[in-house]
């Protein structure tokens, strides 16, 4: 069935969008010949009047944890972070006391994200000899249930440390079951052996023909050395543009000149950096990332879990925080921030997937600055919210 949406505000003015079989087949300007619009509105089409709502592409959250949050549970008071090892044990204790299943909580958070216009996520799912594959099995079921609403990419994540928790075999089993990427965390700081930990990740990934997404909290020269070695191994394994490093706080801890050589090698290796835009610690400098040309994406990371009571899964809000943190106030900078939370375009073209949302704002830059409610969300040409 054809869908026609009138009075959609694009950067170039008000337009009519025609959607068929999940794709945009016509983009007709308000000033166009009336016959074009009349033809688009012929009787076999459903129609909807957007009444001047602003068109935005749907969003992507490239770092979240569907299996770890407390949404839908009672309020759980948190303890301040002391050490990584102690907090990992604390997290295990809290997760063990939740009343809902992993699948119930994961679906609730995913649906909340969809309400905010997020239709693509990368979720890190805990696997280790103690947890086994049960979290992954639950997330795989949620992925199947939400197939028409959200694209879910899964990282097999040994949260307790790949070496430290003896998780090599369980990660391999997770990939065979349906996980998409190999995860890891702090090869030096948590696993205690940077080279061995990284080699193990890459050996698992290349054997299974999968990508990698590494959590890296280690700071200073240890963090920078880990990034450089990660980039080298990416190139040696032929995994350019298939690996990512999340957080990488070390890139914001030292001067721009000190970290530039590391950024250069990350760019050469096609390594993506992913950040949750923390406000309590340094992070990779946005302007330096742009100037270097390293691929960069944002994620929500912790959403009301053992690590933080904050967050709601709204990636437009996260992009707004990024622009505000970087003091990006010009239109070109505001609009450029969308590339870090979406793979879509601000101005749709014929043939584009009909994955978009509509919001009440003056324009796209105003939407990023003010974070309005989502009036409607479309996926594959169908309204899902």
């Amino acid at each position: 069935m054809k869908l026609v949406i009138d009075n959609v505000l694009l950067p170039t003015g008000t337009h009519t969008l025609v959607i068929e079989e999940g794709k945009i087949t016509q983009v007709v300007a308000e000033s166009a010949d009336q016959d074009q619009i009349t033809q688009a509105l012929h009787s076999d089409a459903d129609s909807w009047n957007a009444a001047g709502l602003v068109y935005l592409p749907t969003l992507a959250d490239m770092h979240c944890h569907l299996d770890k949050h407390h949404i839908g549970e009672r309020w759980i008071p948190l303890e301040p972070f002391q050490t990584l090892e102690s907090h990992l044990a604390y997290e295990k204790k809290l997760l063990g006391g939740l009343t809902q299943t992993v699948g119930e909580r994961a679906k609730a958070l995913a649906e909340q994200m969809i309400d905010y216009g997020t239709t693509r996520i990368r979720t890190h799912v805990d696997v280790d000899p103690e947890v086994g594959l049960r979290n992954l099995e639950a997330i795989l079921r949620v992925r199947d249930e939400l197939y028409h609403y959200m694209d879910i990419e899964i990282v097999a994540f040994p949260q307790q440390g790949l070496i430290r928790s003896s998780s090599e075999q369980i990660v391999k089993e997770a990939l065979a079951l349906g996980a998409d990427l190999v995860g890891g965390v702090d090869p030096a700081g948590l696993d205690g052996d940077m080279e061995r930990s990284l080699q193990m990740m890459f050996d698992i990934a290349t054997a299974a023909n999968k990508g990698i997404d590494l959590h890296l909290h280690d700071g200073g020269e240890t963090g920078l050395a880990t990034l450089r070695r990660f980039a080298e191994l990416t190139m040696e394994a032929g995994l350019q543009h298939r690996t990512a490093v999340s957080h990488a706080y070390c890139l914001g801890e030292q001067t721009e000149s000190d970290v530039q050589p590391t950024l250069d090698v990350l760019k050469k290796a096609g390594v993506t950096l992913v950040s949750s835009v923390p406000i309590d610690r340094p992070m990779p400098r946005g302007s330096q990332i742009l100037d270097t040309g390293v691929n960069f994406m944002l994620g929500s990371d912790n959403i009301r879990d053992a690590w933080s009571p904050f967050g709601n899964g709204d990636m437009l809000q996260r992009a707004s925080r990024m622009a505000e943190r970087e003091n990006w106030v010009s239109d070109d900078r505001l609009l450029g921030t969308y590339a870090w939370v979406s793979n879509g375009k601000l101005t749709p073209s014929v043939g584009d997937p009909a994955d978009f949302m509509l919001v009440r704002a003056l324009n796209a830059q105003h939407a990023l600055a003010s974070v309005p409610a989502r009036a409607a969300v479309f996926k594959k040409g169908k309204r899902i919210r």
Side-chain angles (χ1 to χ4, degrees), residues 116-173:
Y116 287 122
T118 294
T119 59
R120 179 190 173 205
I121 68 171
R122 174 179 291 180
T123 179
H124 298 255
V125 178
D126 283 12
V127 296
D128 61 43
E130 182 181 340
V131 172
L133 298 173
R134 61 178 181 269
N135 286 14
L136 174 61
E137 290 166 345
I139 303 302
L140 287 170
R141 287 191 292 271
V142 171
R143 179 163 73 177
D144 290 342
E145 291 177 35
L146 298 180
Y147 172 77
H148 294 292
Y149 304 90
M150 175 181 276
D151 301 318
I152 300 178
E153 194 174 37
I154 299 172
V155 182
F157 180 46
Q159 168 76 86
Q160 306 291 318
L162 182 59
I163 295 173
R164 181 174 174 267
S165 63
S166 303
S167 291
E168 179 180 9
Q169 182 57 37
I170 200 73
V171 169
K172 292 178 180 178
E173 292 172 12

Side-chain angles (χ1 to χ4, degrees), residues 63-363:
H63 187 116
C64 65
H65 297 268
L66 288 185
D67 61 330
K68 299 162 88 70
H69 66 87
H70 304 160
I71 291 173
E73 299 283 334
R74 63 180 175 83
W75 180 258
I76 301 175
L78 300 186
E79 296 178 3
F81 179 89
Q82 300 295 331
T83 66
L84 182 56
E85 291 84 352
S86 65
H87 214 82
L88 289 173
Y90 170 66
E91 178 187 53
K92 284 262 190 184
K93 177 183 176 182
L94 289 191
L95 289 173
L98 300 182
T99 61
Q100 297 181 101
T101 68
V102 171
E104 288 170 339
R105 289 185 294 103
K107 189 174 182 182
L109 177 54
E111 289 180 336
Q112 183 169 305
M113 291 172 159
I114 292 168
D115 288 341
Y116 287 122
T118 294
T119 59
R120 179 190 173 205
I121 68 171
R122 174 179 291 180
T123 179
H124 298 255
V125 178
D126 283 12
V127 296
D128 61 43
E130 182 181 340
V131 172
L133 298 173
R134 61 178 181 269
N135 286 14
L136 174 61
E137 290 166 345
I139 303 302
L140 287 170
R141 287 191 292 271
V142 171
R143 179 163 73 177
D144 290 342
E145 291 177 35
L146 298 180
Y147 172 77
H148 294 292
Y149 304 90
M150 175 181 276
D151 301 318
I152 300 178
E153 194 174 37
I154 299 172
V155 182
F157 180 46
Q159 168 76 86
Q160 306 291 318
L162 182 59
I163 295 173
R164 181 174 174 267
S165 63
S166 303
S167 291
E168 179 180 9
Q169 182 57 37
I170 200 73
V171 169
K172 292 178 180 178
E173 292 172 12
L175 298 175
L177 190 62
D180 304 291
L181 297 101
V182 176
V185 56
D186 293 344
L190 186 62
D191 266 345
D193 189 331
M194 181 189 78
E195 184 65 23
R196 182 180 166 218
S197 181
L198 287 176
Q199 287 284 359
M200 188 177 292
M201 285 176 222
F202 278 89
D203 287 346
I204 296 170
T206 53
N209 191 25
K210 302 286 187 178
I212 299 173
D213 192 328
L214 168 69
H215 279 58
L216 182 62
H217 312 98
D218 287 338
E221 181 53 35
T222 298
L224 294 179
T226 302
L227 286 172
R228 291 191 294 269
R229 186 59 180 143
F230 186 88
E232 291 169 358
L233 289 170
T234 293
M235 290 184 283
E236 290 174 13
L239 289 177
Q240 292 91 330
H241 308 291
R242 297 181 63 189
T243 66
V245 177
S246 295
H247 305 313
Y249 303 134
C250 58
L251 290 171
E253 291 174 345
Q254 301 187 45
T255 68
E256 291 191 25
S257 58
D258 285 340
V259 304
Q260 189 60 52
T262 302
L263 286 175
D264 290 338
V265 73
L266 291 172
K267 170 67 165 59
K268 182 179 179 181
V271 174
T272 296
L273 293 174
V274 185
S275 178
S276 62
V277 197
I279 58 176
D280 60 340
R281 68 192 66 194
M283 60 167 282
R285 299 174 183 86
S287 296
Q288 189 178 15
I289 296 291
L290 278 174
D291 292 343
T292 305
V294 176
N295 189 42
F296 190 65
M297 296 295 289
L298 303 183
S300 55
D301 195 15
N302 306 110
I303 300 173
R304 195 178 150 194
D305 61 10
W307 305 82
S308 170
F310 305 108
N312 61 3
D314 185 350
M315 289 309 297
L316 186 60
Q317 185 181 84
R318 193 67 48 148
S320 183
R321 185 162 93 176
M322 179 72 193
E324 186 172 7
R325 177 180 172 126
E326 292 285 328
N327 194 30
W328 289 341
V329 298
S330 65
D331 278 5
D332 62 331
R333 286 296 203 187
L334 289 171
L335 294 173
T337 308
Y338 280 101
W340 292 355
V341 291
S342 179
N343 299 111
K345 299 184 296 187
L346 291 169
T347 302
S349 303
V350 171
D352 286 348
D355 299 344
F356 61 93
M357 56 189 184
L358 299 172
V359 302
R360 190 163 303 285
L362 299 174
N363 49 33

